[in-house]
Structure formats: structure tokens, C-alpha cells
Coordinates of all heavy atoms in Angstrom, one line a residue:
M1 N 6.0 12.1 2.6 CA 5.1 11.1 2.1 C 3.7 11.2 2.7 O 2.8 10.8 2.1 CB 5.7 9.7 2.3 CG 6.8 9.4 1.5 SD 6.3 8.6 0.0 CE 7.7 7.8 -0.4
D2 N 3.6 11.7 3.9 CA 2.4 11.7 4.6 C 1.4 12.8 4.1 O 0.3 12.9 4.6 CB 2.6 11.9 6.1 CG 3.3 10.7 6.7 OD1 3.1 9.6 6.3 OD2 4.1 11.0 7.6
S3 N 1.8 13.5 3.1 CA 1.0 14.6 2.5 C -0.1 14.0 1.6 O -1.0 14.7 1.2 CB 1.8 15.6 1.8 OG 2.4 15.0 0.7
F4 N 0.0 12.7 1.2 CA -1.0 12.1 0.4 C -2.2 11.6 1.2 O -2.0 10.9 2.2 CB -0.4 11.0 -0.4 CG 0.8 11.4 -1.3 CD1 2.0 11.0 -1.0 CD2 0.5 12.2 -2.4 CE1 3.1 11.4 -1.8 CE2 1.6 12.6 -3.2 CZ 2.9 12.2 -2.9
P5 N -3.4 11.9 0.8 CA -4.5 11.6 1.6 C -4.9 10.1 1.7 O -5.5 9.6 2.7 CB -5.7 12.4 1.0 CG -5.3 12.6 -0.4 CD -3.8 12.7 -0.4
K6 N -4.6 9.4 0.6 CA -5.0 8.0 0.6 C -3.8 7.0 0.7 O -2.7 7.4 0.2 CB -5.8 7.7 -0.7 CG -7.1 8.4 -0.9 CD -7.8 8.0 -2.1 CE -9.1 8.8 -2.3 NZ -9.8 8.3 -3.4
D7 N -4.1 5.9 1.3 CA -3.0 4.9 1.5 C -2.5 4.4 0.2 O -1.3 4.1 0.0 CB -3.5 3.7 2.3 CG -3.7 4.1 3.8 OD1 -3.0 5.0 4.3 OD2 -4.4 3.4 4.5
T8 N -3.4 4.3 -0.8 CA -3.0 3.8 -2.1 C -2.0 4.8 -2.8 O -1.1 4.3 -3.4 CB -4.2 3.6 -3.1 OG1 -5.0 4.8 -3.1 CG2 -5.1 2.4 -2.6
H9 N -2.2 6.1 -2.6 CA -1.3 7.1 -3.1 C 0.0 7.0 -2.4 O 1.1 7.1 -3.1 CB -1.9 8.5 -3.0 CG -3.1 8.7 -3.8 ND1 -4.1 9.6 -3.5 CD2 -3.6 8.0 -4.9 CE1 -5.0 9.6 -4.4 NE2 -4.8 8.6 -5.3
R10 N 0.0 6.8 -1.1 CA 1.3 6.7 -0.4 C 2.1 5.5 -0.8 O 3.3 5.6 -1.0 CB 1.0 6.6 1.1 CG 0.5 7.9 1.8 CD 0.5 7.7 3.3 NE -0.4 8.8 3.8 CZ -1.5 8.6 4.4 NH1 -1.9 7.4 4.7 NH2 -2.2 9.6 4.8
Y11 N 1.4 4.4 -1.0 CA 2.0 3.2 -1.5 C 2.6 3.4 -2.9 O 3.8 3.0 -3.1 CB 1.0 2.0 -1.5 CG 1.6 0.7 -2.1 CD1 2.6 0.0 -1.5 CD2 1.1 0.3 -3.3 CE1 3.1 -1.1 -2.0 CE2 1.6 -0.9 -3.8 CZ 2.6 -1.6 -3.2 OH 3.1 -2.7 -3.8
A12 N 1.8 3.9 -3.8 CA 2.2 4.1 -5.2 C 3.5 5.0 -5.3 O 4.4 4.7 -6.0 CB 1.1 4.6 -6.0
F13 N 3.4 6.1 -4.6 CA 4.5 7.1 -4.6 C 5.8 6.5 -3.9 O 6.9 6.8 -4.3 CB 4.1 8.4 -4.1 CG 3.3 9.2 -5.1 CD1 1.9 9.3 -5.0 CD2 3.9 9.8 -6.2 CE1 1.2 10.0 -5.9 CE2 3.1 10.5 -7.2 CZ 1.8 10.6 -7.0
A14 N 5.6 5.8 -2.9 CA 6.7 5.1 -2.2 C 7.4 4.1 -3.1 O 8.6 4.0 -3.2 CB 6.3 4.5 -0.9
M15 N 6.6 3.4 -3.9 CA 7.1 2.4 -4.8 C 7.9 3.1 -5.9 O 8.9 2.7 -6.3 CB 6.0 1.5 -5.4 CG 5.6 0.4 -4.5 SD 6.9 -0.8 -4.2 CE 7.3 -1.4 -5.8
V16 N 7.3 4.2 -6.5 CA 8.0 4.9 -7.5 C 9.3 5.4 -7.1 O 10.3 5.3 -7.8 CB 7.1 6.0 -8.1 CG1 7.8 7.0 -9.0 CG2 5.9 5.5 -8.8
E17 N 9.3 6.0 -5.9 CA 10.5 6.6 -5.3 C 11.6 5.5 -5.1 O 12.8 5.7 -5.5 CB 10.3 7.3 -4.0 CG 11.4 8.0 -3.4 CD 11.1 8.8 -2.2 OE1 9.9 9.2 -2.0 OE2 12.0 9.0 -1.4
A18 N 11.2 4.4 -4.5 CA 12.2 3.3 -4.3 C 12.6 2.7 -5.6 O 13.8 2.3 -5.7 CB 11.5 2.3 -3.4
A19 N 11.7 2.5 -6.5 CA 12.0 1.9 -7.8 C 13.0 2.7 -8.6 O 13.7 2.1 -9.5 CB 10.8 1.6 -8.6
R20 N 13.1 3.9 -8.4 CA 14.1 4.8 -9.1 C 15.5 4.4 -8.6 O 16.5 4.6 -9.3 CB 13.9 6.2 -8.9 CG 12.7 6.7 -9.6 CD 12.4 8.2 -9.3 NE 11.3 8.6 -10.1 CZ 10.7 9.8 -9.9 NH1 11.1 10.6 -9.0 NH2 9.6 10.1 -10.6
K21 N 15.6 3.9 -7.4 CA 16.9 3.7 -6.8 C 17.4 2.2 -6.8 O 18.5 1.9 -6.7 CB 16.9 4.1 -5.3 CG 16.7 5.6 -5.1 CD 16.5 6.0 -3.7 CE 16.1 7.4 -3.6 NZ 15.8 7.7 -2.2
M22 N 16.4 1.3 -7.0 CA 16.6 -0.1 -7.0 C 15.6 -0.9 -7.8 O 14.6 -0.3 -8.2 CB 16.6 -0.6 -5.5 CG 15.3 -0.4 -4.8 SD 15.3 -0.7 -3.1 CE 16.1 0.8 -2.5
P23 N 15.8 -2.1 -8.0 CA 14.8 -2.9 -8.8 C 13.5 -3.0 -8.0 O 13.5 -3.0 -6.7 CB 15.5 -4.3 -8.9 CG 16.9 -4.1 -8.7 CD 17.1 -2.9 -7.8
V24 N 12.4 -3.2 -8.7 CA 11.1 -3.2 -8.0 C 10.9 -4.3 -7.0 O 10.4 -4.1 -6.0 CB 10.0 -3.2 -9.1 CG1 8.6 -3.3 -8.5 CG2 10.1 -2.0 -10.0
D25 N 11.4 -5.5 -7.4 CA 11.3 -6.6 -6.5 C 12.0 -6.4 -5.1 O 11.6 -6.8 -4.1 CB 11.7 -7.9 -7.1 CG 13.1 -7.9 -7.6 OD1 13.7 -6.9 -7.9 OD2 13.8 -9.0 -7.5
V26 N 13.1 -5.7 -5.2 CA 13.8 -5.4 -3.9 C 13.1 -4.3 -3.2 O 13.0 -4.3 -2.0 CB 15.3 -4.9 -4.3 CG1 16.0 -4.5 -3.0 CG2 16.0 -6.0 -5.0
A27 N 12.5 -3.3 -3.9 CA 11.8 -2.2 -3.3 C 10.6 -2.7 -2.6 O 10.2 -2.2 -1.5 CB 11.4 -1.2 -4.4
E28 N 9.9 -3.7 -3.1 CA 8.7 -4.3 -2.5 C 9.0 -4.9 -1.1 O 8.2 -5.1 -0.3 CB 8.0 -5.3 -3.4 CG 7.3 -4.6 -4.5 CD 6.6 -5.6 -5.4 OE1 7.0 -6.8 -5.4 OE2 5.7 -5.3 -6.1
K29 N 10.3 -5.3 -0.9 CA 10.7 -6.0 0.3 C 11.0 -5.0 1.5 O 11.3 -5.4 2.6 CB 11.8 -6.9 0.1 CG 11.4 -8.1 -0.9 CD 12.6 -9.0 -1.2 CE 12.1 -10.0 -2.2 NZ 13.2 -10.9 -2.6
L30 N 11.1 -3.7 1.2 CA 11.4 -2.7 2.2 C 10.3 -2.7 3.2 O 9.1 -2.8 2.9 CB 11.6 -1.4 1.6 CG 12.8 -1.2 0.6 CD1 12.8 0.1 0.0 CD2 14.1 -1.5 1.3
D31 N 10.7 -2.5 4.5 CA 9.7 -2.6 5.6 C 8.6 -1.5 5.5 O 7.4 -1.8 5.7 CB 10.4 -2.4 6.9 CG 11.2 -3.7 7.3 OD1 10.8 -4.8 6.8 OD2 12.1 -3.6 8.0
H32 N 8.9 -0.3 5.2 CA 7.9 0.7 5.1 C 6.9 0.5 3.9 O 5.8 0.8 4.0 CB 8.5 2.1 5.1 CG 9.2 2.5 3.8 ND1 10.4 2.0 3.5 CD2 8.8 3.3 2.8 CE1 10.8 2.5 2.3 NE2 9.8 3.3 1.9
I33 N 7.4 0.0 2.9 CA 6.6 -0.3 1.7 C 5.7 -1.5 2.0 O 4.5 -1.6 1.6 CB 7.4 -0.5 0.4 CG1 8.0 0.8 0.1 CG2 6.5 -1.0 -0.7 CD1 8.9 0.8 -1.1
K34 N 6.2 -2.5 2.7 CA 5.4 -3.7 3.1 C 4.2 -3.2 4.0 O 3.1 -3.7 3.9 CB 6.2 -4.7 3.9 CG 7.1 -5.6 3.1 CD 7.8 -6.6 4.0 CE 8.7 -7.4 3.3 NZ 9.4 -8.4 4.2
Q35 N 4.5 -2.3 4.9 CA 3.5 -1.8 5.8 C 2.4 -1.0 5.1 O 1.2 -1.2 5.3 CB 4.1 -0.9 6.9 CG 3.1 -0.4 8.0 CD 2.6 -1.6 8.7 OE1 3.3 -2.5 9.1 NE2 1.3 -1.6 9.0
L36 N 2.8 -0.2 4.1 CA 1.8 0.5 3.3 C 1.0 -0.4 2.5 O -0.3 -0.2 2.4 CB 2.6 1.5 2.4 CG 3.2 2.7 3.0 CD1 4.1 3.5 2.0 CD2 2.2 3.7 3.6
R37 N 1.6 -1.4 1.9 CA 0.8 -2.4 1.1 C -0.2 -3.2 2.0 O -1.3 -3.4 1.7 CB 1.8 -3.4 0.4 CG 1.0 -4.4 -0.5 CD 1.9 -5.3 -1.3 NE 2.8 -6.0 -0.4 CZ 4.2 -6.0 -0.6 NH1 4.7 -5.3 -1.6 NH2 4.9 -6.7 0.2
F38 N 0.3 -3.5 3.2 CA -0.6 -4.2 4.2 C -1.8 -3.4 4.5 O -2.9 -3.9 4.6 CB 0.2 -4.6 5.4 CG -0.6 -5.2 6.5 CD1 -1.0 -6.5 6.4 CD2 -1.0 -4.5 7.6 CE1 -1.7 -7.1 7.4 CE2 -1.8 -5.1 8.6 CZ -2.1 -6.4 8.5
N39 N -1.6 -2.1 4.8 CA -2.7 -1.2 5.1 C -3.7 -1.1 4.0 O -4.9 -1.1 4.2 CB -2.2 0.2 5.4 CG -1.4 0.3 6.7 OD1 -1.5 -0.6 7.5 ND2 -0.6 1.3 6.9
V40 N -3.2 -1.0 2.8 CA -4.1 -1.0 1.6 C -4.9 -2.3 1.5 O -6.1 -2.3 1.3 CB -3.3 -0.7 0.3 CG1 -4.2 -0.9 -0.9 CG2 -2.7 0.7 0.3
Q41 N -4.2 -3.4 1.6 CA -4.9 -4.7 1.5 C -5.9 -4.9 2.6 O -7.0 -5.5 2.4 CB -3.8 -5.8 1.5 CG -3.0 -5.9 0.3 CD -1.9 -6.9 0.4 OE1 -1.5 -7.3 1.5 NE2 -1.3 -7.3 -0.8
L42 N -5.6 -4.5 3.8 CA -6.5 -4.7 5.0 C -7.7 -3.8 4.8 O -8.8 -4.3 5.0 CB -5.8 -4.3 6.3 CG -6.5 -4.5 7.5 CD1 -6.8 -5.9 7.8 CD2 -5.7 -3.9 8.7
K43 N -7.6 -2.6 4.3 CA -8.7 -1.8 4.1 C -9.6 -2.4 3.0 O -10.9 -2.4 3.1 CB -8.3 -0.4 3.6 CG -9.4 0.6 3.5 CD -8.9 2.0 3.1 CE -8.4 2.7 4.3 NZ -8.0 4.1 4.0
R44 N -9.1 -2.9 1.9 CA -9.9 -3.5 0.9 C -10.6 -4.8 1.4 O -11.7 -5.1 1.1 CB -9.0 -3.9 -0.3 CG -8.4 -2.8 -1.0 CD -8.9 -2.7 -2.4 NE -8.2 -1.6 -3.0 CZ -8.8 -0.9 -4.0 NH1 -10.0 -1.3 -4.5 NH2 -8.2 0.1 -4.6
L45 N -9.9 -5.6 2.2 CA -10.5 -6.8 2.8 C -11.7 -6.4 3.7 O -12.7 -7.1 3.6 CB -9.4 -7.6 3.6 CG -9.9 -8.9 4.2 CD1 -10.4 -9.8 3.2 CD2 -8.8 -9.5 5.1
R46 N -11.5 -5.4 4.5 CA -12.6 -5.0 5.4 C -13.8 -4.6 4.6 O -14.9 -4.9 4.9 CB -12.1 -3.9 6.3 CG -11.3 -4.3 7.5 CD -10.9 -3.2 8.3 NE -10.0 -3.6 9.4 CZ -9.1 -2.8 10.0 NH1 -9.0 -1.6 9.6 NH2 -8.4 -3.3 11.0
K47 N -13.5 -3.8 3.5 CA -14.6 -3.3 2.7 C -15.3 -4.5 2.0 O -16.5 -4.6 2.0 CB -14.0 -2.4 1.6 CG -15.0 -1.6 0.9 CD -14.4 -0.6 -0.1 CE -15.4 0.2 -0.8 NZ -14.7 1.2 -1.6
R48 N -14.6 -5.5 1.6 CA -15.1 -6.7 0.9 C -16.0 -7.5 1.9 O -17.1 -8.0 1.6 CB -14.0 -7.5 0.3 CG -14.6 -8.6 -0.6 CD -13.5 -9.3 -1.3 NE -13.1 -10.4 -0.4 CZ -11.9 -11.1 -0.5 NH1 -11.0 -10.7 -1.3 NH2 -11.7 -12.1 0.3
I49 N -15.5 -7.7 3.1 CA -16.2 -8.4 4.1 C -17.5 -7.7 4.5 O -18.6 -8.3 4.6 CB -15.3 -8.7 5.4 CG1 -14.2 -9.6 5.1 CG2 -16.2 -9.2 6.6 CD1 -13.2 -9.8 6.1
N50 N -17.4 -6.4 4.7 CA -18.6 -5.6 5.1 C -19.7 -5.7 3.9 O -20.8 -5.7 4.2 CB -18.3 -4.2 5.4 CG -17.6 -4.1 6.7 OD1 -17.7 -5.0 7.6 ND2 -16.8 -3.1 6.9
K51 N -19.2 -5.7 2.7 CA -20.1 -5.7 1.6 C -20.9 -7.1 1.5 O -22.0 -7.1 1.2 CB -19.3 -5.5 0.3 CG -20.1 -5.3 -0.9 CD -19.2 -5.0 -2.1 CE -20.0 -4.7 -3.4 NZ -19.2 -4.4 -4.5
R52 N -20.2 -8.2 1.9 CA -20.8 -9.5 1.9 C -21.9 -9.6 3.0 O -22.8 -10.3 2.8 CB -19.8 -10.6 2.0 CG -19.0 -10.8 0.7 CD -18.1 -11.9 0.9 NE -17.2 -12.1 -0.3 CZ -16.3 -13.0 -0.4 NH1 -16.1 -13.8 0.6 NH2 -15.6 -13.1 -1.5
I53 N -21.6 -9.0 4.1 CA -22.5 -9.1 5.3 C -23.8 -8.4 5.1 O -24.8 -8.9 5.4 CB -21.7 -8.6 6.6 CG1 -20.6 -9.6 6.9 CG2 -22.7 -8.5 7.7 CD1 -19.7 -9.2 8.0
T54 N -23.7 -7.2 4.5 CA -24.9 -6.4 4.4 C -25.6 -6.6 3.1 O -25.2 -7.2 2.2 CB -24.5 -4.9 4.5 OG1 -23.5 -4.5 3.5 CG2 -24.1 -4.6 5.9

């Protein structure tokens, strides 16, 4: 999974892989997918905050 350059790609492909094996709502609760989603959300939040300041 680490071969994808962007966090959004890692998150999307992890979700696709997990959703093939289980329902999506269960897949979203997996720890590694939560961490990937958190990283994506944090990066977007930092970008939004920096955009407002400058």
C-alpha cells in the first residue's frame, strides 16, 4: 500500500480492498483506515487554515 504517493490514494485503495471483504461501514472502523482518513483530513485542515491566514 505504501507505493501510492498521496495519502488520498492510500486511503481510497485501502477502502476498496477492505470493502471487497466486508461492508463499507465496518471497513471504515478498521484502525489502519481510520489513521489514513485522519491523515487526509489533517492535511486538508492545515491547508484550509493556512489559506485563511494568508
Side-chain angles (χ1 to χ4, degrees):
M1 289 266 203
D2 294 325
S3 63
F4 301 112
K6 295 185 178 182
D7 288 335
T8 53
H9 294 156
R10 286 189 201 117
Y11 172 69
F13 283 103
M15 279 299 298
V16 167
E17 184 177 335
R20 288 180 179 168
K21 300 174 187 171
M22 61 190 78
V24 174
D25 60 328
V26 175
E28 287 180 336
K29 295 177 184 175
L30 296 175
D31 288 334
H32 70 283
I33 293 179
K34 281 184 184 178
Q35 185 63 42
L36 288 170
R37 183 175 57 234
F38 176 78
N39 291 343
V40 170
Q41 290 173 341
L42 185 63
K43 187 180 280 187
R44 296 242 182 209
L45 179 63
R46 285 182 181 153
K47 192 174 184 177
R48 192 174 87 199
I49 290 171
N50 289 338
K51 191 174 182 180
R52 287 183 182 179
I53 292 173
T54 57

